[in-house]
Amino acid sequence: MIVIHDELCKGCKLCAKHCPLGAIEIVNKIAVVKKHCSSCGMCVRVCPCQAIAKDAQTQGGVTCYSCPIQCEIQLGFEGACRRYSNSKGKLVRNRPLVLENPHAGLPDAEIPDKPLITAVGSGTEYPCCKPAPHIVAAAVDGVEVVTVVTEAPLSYSGIKVKIDANTHIGEEGAKVLRDGMVVGMVDTEEYGAKMLSIGGANTLSGRFGFAAAHTIVELANGERVKLQVEKGSKLELQVGYPPVIDGTAEKKMRIGCGSATVGMFAKAMAGAVDEAIVLDHHVIGLLSEHRAGEEVGMQYSGVIPNGRKSTRGRYFGEHGHGWGGTHVDEPVKAVKSVDMNIARPGMKILVTETTGQKAGLVEVQADGSVIEIAMTPQVQKIVDLIAANCEDAVVSAVYVGGTGGSARAGVTTYPVKLSQAIHAGQAKMTIGGAPVFILPGGGINFMVDVEKVVPKAFTWVPTPATVAPVEYTLTRKTYEEIGGHVASIQPLSELVKVVAERKNECL
């Protein structure tokens, strides 16, 4: 239950503001907890006066184990996430299982998955008033289909680079440099990977736009690029290959955070050691305190890991160049302290990281200190099991862009109708023959996996802008309805002949 220490409370209202259930009110400048409080502990975290504490289990509540918070949900009320309610002493999901999404619109079934031709090598018609370089038609399964292609210069473009690595490369928002020129920034981190955002309209139109443009294109075309994170790491990146960070090639992508790793391998760990610490720059996992440890019959060992506590058995790590991307560089430093009122001398603690590439075994001494001891074959098997479940580290990238100007006007005399057809699933867009994800909202903003595009498909122009091969495929009926350049349609068979003749001329 949540307890308010009245003598410390200043009535600042932060607890009331941040309570997810509105279960705290301020009365006479003192916080008061209402009966539907679920003891989630959010108020404890935000209180600047340490006037709030989480005490023993609230009577009458049902413990929810759907996440590490473990709310005590009171009869007739919801937990902090509002997903579960206590109904007659049992937890029930507030919403029934949804079997079908009525809003998941599907593309027109008559549109083929692939364009009739790709835009790679098609060229560009400029200015925007001209029809696209190639507008071809052919019958597909008895339906006349049109594909319009152009190599579109896109000043609104960039590339998101995903780097599978635990290694800390720099702070989020840090500038990314190429030969001393700013080409992008470090983006938010994703699960098991660092992210870079290279380019974008503002960067491309900036002082070093040309450097950003050819960096985007080289990455998208699978070439090797060297970058420097400001106040961070040196990077060598090539899509489809392991990332090289500060001269060292990454080998494995983590299986999960430290908490998740404990959860997946708790049974194996519990059979070999008294405790396990899985180091991770995001969440460090502590086996015995974790719910997974309890699930396999363990009790808290008294070991306190080197991190900032989040929830039960989960601690926030500190970024660094040590194990698991933390500042810990040897096993004994993973242990902050040991409570010898709970622990006992001789306890064995496995210390490893989420990739299993580094591991050590430490032993608790009588004075509460720990020393490193030789790894046993049984414990090594657990480390090997973690490593075996990790994927190889690799660099991947998604090209992002927005099509306007000739990329739409070359298709139709009424450009907004093309945008509407794309969002309605009546027209299918591809980039170099690869499927794209269309961002919701207005315009045609897209993302495409560069490894699925025709090889070496991207180029750039010194405006500066990148040039992407854009294809739109739709039925002829729809093409006519959106005001397409019908007079410029050419039978696919004729274009195939022309291309073949040109190839023969070049031989």
Side-chain angles (χ1 to χ4, degrees), residues 41 85 136 360 403:
S85 294
V136 299
T403 54

Side-chain angles (χ1 to χ4, degrees), residues 168-411:
H168 183 55
I169 64 171
E171 297 300 319
E172 289 179 2
K175 295 176 181 177
V176 175
L177 311 173
R178 184 169 189 188
D179 298 326
M181 296 175 284
V182 178
V183 296
M185 66 179 182
V186 177
D187 211 332
T188 54
E189 187 164 328
E190 304 300 338
Y191 205 84
K194 315 298 183 188
M195 301 290 292
L196 303 182
S197 181
I198 308 296
N202 294 330
T203 299
L204 285 171
S205 60
R207 180 182 175 190
F208 303 120
F210 66 94
H214 72 75
T215 299
I216 295 166
V217 168
E218 287 168 14
L219 286 166
N221 285 342
E223 298 175 34
R224 198 166 191 80
V225 172
K226 293 183 179 182
L227 302 171
Q228 171 74 57
V229 177
E230 190 174 53
K231 297 181 181 179
S233 296
K234 292 181 179 179
L235 309 173
E236 292 183 43
L237 307 176
Q238 184 174 12
V239 171
Y241 291 85
V244 178
I245 302 175
D246 294 322
T248 301
E250 294 288 319
K251 295 179 180 178
K252 293 290 183 180
M253 178 183 184
R254 70 179 188 171
I255 188 174
C257 68
S259 172
T261 306
V262 164
M264 286 184 276
F265 302 106
K267 188 174 182 179
M269 291 175 176
V273 291
D274 302 296
E275 183 61 277
I277 298 173
V278 181
L279 293 168
D280 176 54
H281 62 279
H282 176 49
V283 178
I284 296 168
L286 181 66
L287 174 62
S288 70
E289 189 186 25
H290 199 280
R291 267 280 297 136
E294 179 187 28
E295 194 74 18
V296 296
M298 298 187 75
Q299 293 183 338
Y300 175 51
S301 67
V303 172
I304 301 172
N306 200 339
R308 178 167 54 90
K309 188 164 185 177
S310 168
T311 54
R312 181 178 171 183
R314 304 169 76 251
Y315 296 75
F316 293 129
E318 182 180 331
H319 283 147
H321 292 277
W323 291 23
T326 70
H327 67 300
V328 175
D329 56 7
E330 57 179 312
V332 294
K333 292 182 181 179
V335 180
K336 185 176 183 180
S337 62
V338 180
D339 184 350
M340 293 308 292
N341 293 316
I342 302 173
R344 56 177 173 76
M347 286 176 49
K348 305 293 191 298
I349 307 171
L350 165 64
V351 179
T352 187
E353 54 183 5
T354 54
T355 60
Q357 293 179 94
K358 296 177 182 177
L361 191 62
V362 300
E363 183 181 72
V364 176
Q365 305 301 292
D367 62 356
S369 63
V370 295
I371 62 171
E372 186 170 5
I373 60 175
M375 182 75 74
T376 67
Q378 186 181 16
V379 177
Q380 186 61 51
K381 284 184 179 180
I382 298 168
V383 178
D384 293 342
L385 179 62
I386 294 172
N389 279 276
C390 293
E391 298 169 88
D392 292 337
V394 71
V395 176
S396 52
V398 176
Y399 177 89
V400 296
T403 54
S406 60
R408 289 192 301 159
V411 181

